[in-house]
């Protein structure tokens, strides 16, 4: 169930029906979003759980701290965990709630554009493990997702641009009108993106087939994000996906017959909406090794989501490693980066 700002009364009733209320925040949302959430919902009897912010804290150690807080504050099976934050908070909070006493209710309150249109919706929860994204997790739907675009006013521009990438992705897999999305993003566009994701996930809730198309741009994107996770030159998830779309388009031309005009189209769109990143810190062989651990793979083969044209995605496309390397070299040329990948 997705609720919007006009549904805050329904949200409050849902919260009040639980025995104990816990609000999970990170170092950012406790300062910038928690006051606004209190103003909207008027909840007062709750326990606050604060965790560090950032993808590098998305691990089992942090989840154990959440569980410890639940135990110490006598959370029972009728307790509720409200995940107030971006994708890291909703992923970890949903995972922690779904495992605690074999499952307590949770509500996602996404505070970033990326989490509104992607992470908070669809029932995926999890944590990173041994340097790989989302290796431990499960499918578990929140009782509700409360989306209020007023939270977007608290975001720096870089975070907003990160969310754009996941919306533009829908232009390639389901609806070309998403190519027109601009900052600041309207609530109507956010709602359309959520509807697009729900339309796919409701048909395939456990990612047995169709849902895989949501990973367009993510095979390379996740590898880049993972490689730079502890680097000063880190990338936000959406930034990595925006870059990951570039080799996916090259591979789509080779494997699915995508018209070459779409790479040129995306090059213009990318330069208009996203920031430049130098790729010299990336190791080509290390990226390939990370891709070998992608959850979409099977039989030792690296699989991609590709498109034959916008709105016509194809999943489980086996791609040879030599072609992946060529697509990454194309990525360097695409961005106009004079350096090459590290070896």
């Amino acid at each position: 169930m997705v609720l919007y700002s006009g549904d805050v009364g329904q949200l409050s009733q849902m919260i009040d029906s639980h025995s104990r209320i816990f609000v999970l925040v990170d170092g950012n949302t406790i300062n910038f979003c928690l006051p606004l959430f209190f103003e909207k919902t008027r909840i007062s009897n709750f326990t606050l759980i604060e965790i560090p912010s950032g993808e590098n804290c998305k691990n089992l150690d942090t989840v154990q701290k959440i569980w410890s807080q639940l135990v110490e504050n006598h959370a029972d099976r009728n307790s509720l965990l409200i995940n107030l934050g971006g994708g890291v908070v909703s992923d970890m909070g949903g995972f922690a709630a779904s495992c605690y006493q074999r499952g307590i209710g949770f509500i996602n309150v996404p505070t970033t554009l990326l989490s509104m249109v992607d992470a908070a919706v669809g029932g995926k929860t999890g944590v990173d493990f041994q340097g790989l994204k989302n290796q431990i997790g499960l499918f578990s739907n929140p009782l509700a997702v409360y989306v209020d675009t007023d939270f977007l006013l608290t975001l720096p521009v870089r975070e907003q641009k990160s969310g754009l990438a996941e919306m533009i992705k829908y232009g390639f897999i389901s609806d070309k009108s998403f190519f027109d999305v601009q900052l600041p993003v309207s609530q109507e566009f956010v709602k359309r993106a959520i509807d697009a994701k729900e339309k796919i996930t409701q048909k395939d809730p456990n990612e047995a087939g169709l849902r895989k198309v949501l990973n367009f741009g993510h095979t390379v994107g996740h590898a880049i994000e993972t490689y730079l996770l502890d680097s000063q030159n880190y990338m936000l998830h959406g930034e990595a996906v925006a870059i990951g779309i570039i080799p996916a388009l090259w591979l789509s031309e080779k494997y699915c017959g995508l018209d070459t005009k779409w790479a040129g189209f995306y090059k213009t769109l990318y330069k208009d909406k996203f920031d430049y990143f130098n790729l010299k810190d990336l190791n080509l062989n290390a990226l390939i090794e990370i891709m070998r651990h992608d959850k979409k793979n099977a039989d030792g083969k690296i699989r991609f989501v590709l498109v034959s044209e916008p709105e016509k995605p194809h999943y489980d496309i086996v791609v040879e490693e030599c072609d992946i390397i060529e697509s990454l070299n194309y990525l360097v040329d695409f961005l106009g980066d004079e350096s090459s990948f590290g070896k």
Side-chain angles (χ1 to χ4, degrees), residues 236-249:
L236 300 174
H237 174 73
E239 293 170 335
V241 170
I243 287 179
I245 287 174
I246 297 166
L249 291 175

Side-chain angles (χ1 to χ4, degrees), residues 57 86 120 127 188 193 257 297:
C57 298
V127 296
E188 179 56 31
N297 296 340

Side-chain angles (χ1 to χ4, degrees), residues 1 3 9-18 80 107 143-144:
M1 176 190 303
L3 304 175
Q10 185 177 349
L11 175 68
S12 296
Q13 288 181 358
M14 187 178 297
I15 292 172
D16 291 341
S17 67
H18 291 81
L80 175 72
I107 291 174
L143 299 177

Side-chain angles (χ1 to χ4, degrees), residues 172 216-218 220-221 224 235 239-253 258 262-271 274-277 279 304-307 323-324 326-336:
F172 285 107
F216 181 70
H218 284 58
V220 173
I224 293 174
M235 282 189 190
E239 293 170 335
V241 170
I243 287 179
I245 287 174
I246 297 166
L249 291 175
W250 187 90
L251 292 167
S252 293
E253 292 176 14
L258 178 69
W262 289 106
F265 167 81
Y266 186 68
K267 185 172 186 178
T268 300
L269 186 151
Y270 182 93
K271 290 185 174 181
F274 302 107
D275 297 321
Y276 169 80
F277 283 95
L279 303 178
F304 275 70
V305 176
L306 303 175
V307 293
D323 290 327
I324 297 174
E326 280 204 51
S327 75
L328 292 173
N329 287 325
Y330 172 79
L331 169 61
V332 173
D333 294 336
F334 184 104
L335 295 178

Side-chain angles (χ1 to χ4, degrees), residues 38-182:
F38 288 158
E39 180 184 329
K40 298 276 186 176
T41 62
R42 306 292 183 182
I43 68 169
S44 56
N45 189 17
F46 66 93
T47 299
L48 193 66
I49 301 176
E50 182 181 358
I51 58 175
S53 58
E55 183 77 24
N56 58 355
C57 298
K58 186 179 169 184
N59 51 49
L60 288 171
D61 288 340
T62 305
V63 172
Q64 286 187 53
K65 293 175 182 177
I66 297 172
W67 286 330
S68 294
Q69 288 291 303
L70 293 174
V71 170
E72 291 169 12
N73 289 279
H74 311 291
D76 57 27
R77 296 192 71 178
N78 191 39
S79 295
L80 175 72
L81 182 64
I82 300 172
N83 302 314
L84 179 69
V88 171
V89 171
S90 62
D91 280 357
M92 275 200 299
F95 177 72
S98 299
C99 295
Y100 183 79
Q101 294 192 358
R102 297 193 175 93
I104 62 172
F106 66 98
I107 291 174
N108 288 336
V109 183
T111 60
T112 66
L113 180 58
L114 181 66
S115 59
M116 287 181 185
V117 302
D118 184 46
V121 180
K124 279 187 176 181
T125 73
V127 296
D128 303 339
F129 185 68
Q130 293 188 353
L132 299 170
K133 279 185 64 67
N134 301 321
Q135 287 292 295
I136 308 296
L138 44 82
F139 291 98
S140 181
N141 283 305
L143 299 177
V145 179
Y146 175 66
V147 177
D148 190 333
T149 52
D150 283 352
F151 286 116
L152 299 181
L153 301 176
T154 70
L155 291 179
V157 173
R158 183 180 181 187
E159 286 280 359
Q160 295 182 50
K161 288 182 177 181
S162 177
L164 278 183
E166 288 286 359
M167 299 183 77
I168 290 169
K169 172 191 75 178
Y170 288 112
F172 285 107
I173 67 171
S174 65
D175 183 352
K176 287 186 287 188
S177 70
F178 281 99
F179 292 143
D180 297 326
V181 65
Q182 299 282 348

Side-chain angles (χ1 to χ4, degrees), residues 190-211:
V190 170
K191 187 177 186 303
R192 284 171 55 193
I194 292 171
D195 289 345
K197 182 168 186 178
E198 285 198 310
K199 184 177 180 180
I200 293 170
T201 58
Q202 287 173 1
K203 291 179 180 178
D204 180 19
N206 295 327
E207 204 171 33
L210 176 64
R211 182 172 177 154

